[in-house]
Amino acid sequence: MKKIRHFLFLFIGLTVLTAFRSPSDKTPQEAYIEKYSAIAVMEMYRSGIPASITLAQGLLESGYGRSELALKSNNHFGIKCHNGWQGGKVYHDDDAKGECFRKYDSPEESYRDHSDFLRYRDRYKFLFEYKITDYQSWAYGLKKAGYATDPNYPRKLINLIEEYQLHLYDTTQPPVQEPKETSSKGENKQKVRKEPAPQTIPTPPAQLEQVHKVTSSSRETFRFSLSREMYSQNGVLFVYAAEGETYDSIAESNRLFLKELLRFNDLKEDVPLKPGTVVYLQKKKKESAPGLEMHVIEKGETLRGISQRYGVRLDRLCKINGIEDSNVIREGDIIRLRK
């Protein structure tokens, strides 16, 4: 009995000492987690990436905030410039000598860019189908998608998550954002409230892009053909072109003028149709569905192709991005889909 009592006192004493440890007693890893955990949780609710994965990557890639990239460039995730990067740049030896890395104004900006880097690139979209608490699948999925070349990368992330119990942050509620006080000379301080943090994990991007079959009642409302399957993307009705069809034949069968149908699809003339081509039967929207904020250009893509993919009018897409439809876009360029 005395041994049990002695053990209990020892356990309670250690717990109290741990709770009141001074900042200098914390390891660099613990200090890093304490400093950036709230940002990781906030990004989890904004983007859908587990906070544990974000923190583990930050710890690993930045040397818990002490790497040259993190200290001089606020780059906590080792993200390289890639094509289309318009922000600050620094050059650092990595896989090759003098490679280009992204430079940020703050660590928060680095965390946000890391989230967007994963959420809006096609090769990472399958990750978001995993549960937010399935950090192991995320870790191995990152390697599979080509985020890192180190064959031990997944195990390193998992070890960090389990050693520091980072998975507990995956079930943490989003932090409350307090109003920020701002002032200028001669004026009283005013409280400016930031946008409220999201309260739910966002829908995976691949699910947001899924097309939906349209019921016959919806078709009758618009007096479209009832003899074929119709779909919708971003709330806009469309059909998939069949073998031998033309824009003219599709317009006629759906009681539309050819010029009208061409305008809906951002075309100036009746070009040959390949089977499986998306043909919109209504005017596309001014912006994409909520949750699809941007698109990173893949090799061979065009502005019109992107407008068709997301059901967004080409002229609006150009206006949002401040470009012309004749502009040349390159692999890696970022196209915003919403204001």
Side-chain angles (χ1 to χ4, degrees):
M1 186 70 179
K2 286 182 179 179
K3 286 184 178 180
I4 294 173
R5 201 174 292 166
H6 176 74
F7 174 78
L8 284 172
F9 279 127
L10 181 62
F11 177 77
I12 293 169
L14 286 171
T15 303
V16 171
L17 284 172
T18 302
F20 289 95
R21 286 169 67 188
S22 67
S24 59
D25 292 334
K26 292 174 183 170
T27 66
Q29 292 88 339
E30 290 171 333
Y32 183 93
I33 293 164
E34 183 177 292
K35 187 173 184 179
Y36 296 112
S37 59
I39 299 172
V41 171
M42 202 150 48
E43 284 301 306
M44 176 173 69
Y45 281 89
R46 190 183 73 85
S47 69
I49 301 167
S52 61
I53 286 292
T54 299
L55 283 170
Q57 285 193 283
L59 278 164
L60 184 61
E61 300 286 353
S62 74
Y64 39 90
R66 295 187 171 188
S67 71
E68 185 179 349
L69 266 178
L71 292 171
K72 293 185 178 180
S73 314
N74 290 312
N75 189 332
H76 283 240
F77 299 93
I79 298 180
K80 297 178 182 179
C81 293
H82 300 285
N83 291 335
W85 173 246
Q86 301 296 318
K89 300 175 182 179
V90 291
Y91 296 89
H92 182 76
D93 293 347
D94 190 52
D95 295 330
K97 189 174 179 64
E99 290 192 273
C100 181
F101 286 83
R102 299 183 180 190
K103 182 179 180 181
Y104 305 100
D105 292 333
S106 67
E108 290 81 2
E109 188 180 325
S110 175
Y111 270 71
R112 189 178 184 90
D113 188 49
H114 167 263
S115 299
D116 291 344
F117 187 88
L118 296 183
R119 184 170 175 87
Y120 297 113
R121 278 173 168 75
D122 284 346
R123 64 188 172 120
Y124 294 115
K125 284 184 178 177
F126 73 93
L127 293 170
F128 294 85
E129 302 298 326
Y130 298 135
K131 290 182 179 179
I132 204 75
T133 53
D134 188 1
Y135 60 85
Q136 293 195 356
S137 291
W138 272 84
Y140 283 102
L142 282 166
K143 176 67 178 68
K144 179 181 176 182
Y147 190 94
T149 55
D150 182 358
N152 297 316
Y153 191 76
R155 180 42 55 187
K156 288 179 180 178
L157 293 182
I158 292 168
N159 288 345
L160 285 168
I161 290 169
E162 293 177 349
E163 180 178 356
Y164 296 103
Q165 299 187 62
L166 302 182
H167 54 87
L168 297 178
Y169 292 106
D170 296 337
T171 53
T172 300
Q173 292 299 307
V176 177
Q177 291 177 296
E178 295 296 329
K180 186 179 180 182
E181 291 187 343
T182 60
S183 64
S184 56
K185 290 183 179 180
E187 295 182 2
N188 294 327
K189 287 185 177 180
Q190 294 182 337
K191 288 189 175 182
V192 178
R193 183 168 290 279
K194 296 179 181 179
E195 290 184 16
Q199 298 298 303
T200 57
I201 305 298
T203 303
Q207 289 184 28
L208 289 172
E209 284 188 50
Q210 284 179 354
V211 300
H212 304 282
K213 268 191 180 182
V214 177
T215 62
S216 58
S217 59
S218 299
R219 288 187 254 178
E220 287 169 355
T221 302
F222 295 98
R223 296 185 301 169
F224 292 137
S225 171
L226 300 177
S227 62
R228 68 188 302 172
E229 289 184 339
M230 289 190 182
Y231 304 85
S232 76
Q233 171 63 279
N234 196 19
V236 187
L237 295 179
F238 72 87
V239 295
Y240 290 110
E243 185 72 45
E245 283 192 309
T246 65
Y247 282 102
D248 193 19
S249 67
I250 292 175
E252 185 177 353
S253 63
N254 288 282
R255 303 177 188 179
L256 294 168
F257 295 111
L258 174 59
K259 286 185 178 180
E260 191 178 23
L261 187 68
L262 294 176
R263 187 171 69 251
F264 292 161
N265 292 275
D266 292 302
L267 291 169
K268 294 179 181 177
E269 57 185 9
D270 189 357
V271 296
L273 257 180
K274 292 182 179 179
T277 300
V278 169
V279 180
Y280 285 102
L281 305 176
Q282 298 174 302
K283 183 186 287 188
K284 289 180 285 186
K285 298 293 181 67
K286 292 183 178 180
E287 57 185 10
S288 64
L292 294 173
E293 307 296 328
M294 64 182 74
H295 175 82
V296 181
I297 301 294
E298 300 285 339
K299 189 175 181 179
E301 285 190 308
T302 63
L303 280 173
R304 180 181 171 274
I306 295 165
S307 79
Q308 292 290 97
R309 174 173 173 175
Y310 294 101
V312 181
R313 284 158 38 193
L314 182 57
D315 61 337
R316 293 296 303 179
L317 204 61
C318 291
K319 187 172 182 179
I320 291 169
N321 291 277
I323 57 178
E324 301 291 334
D325 59 7
S326 58
N327 282 42
V328 176
I329 56 173
R330 301 174 300 168
E331 183 180 0
D333 283 352
I334 293 173
I335 299 295
R336 301 211 165 266
L337 306 172
R338 297 175 61 84
K339 288 182 181 178

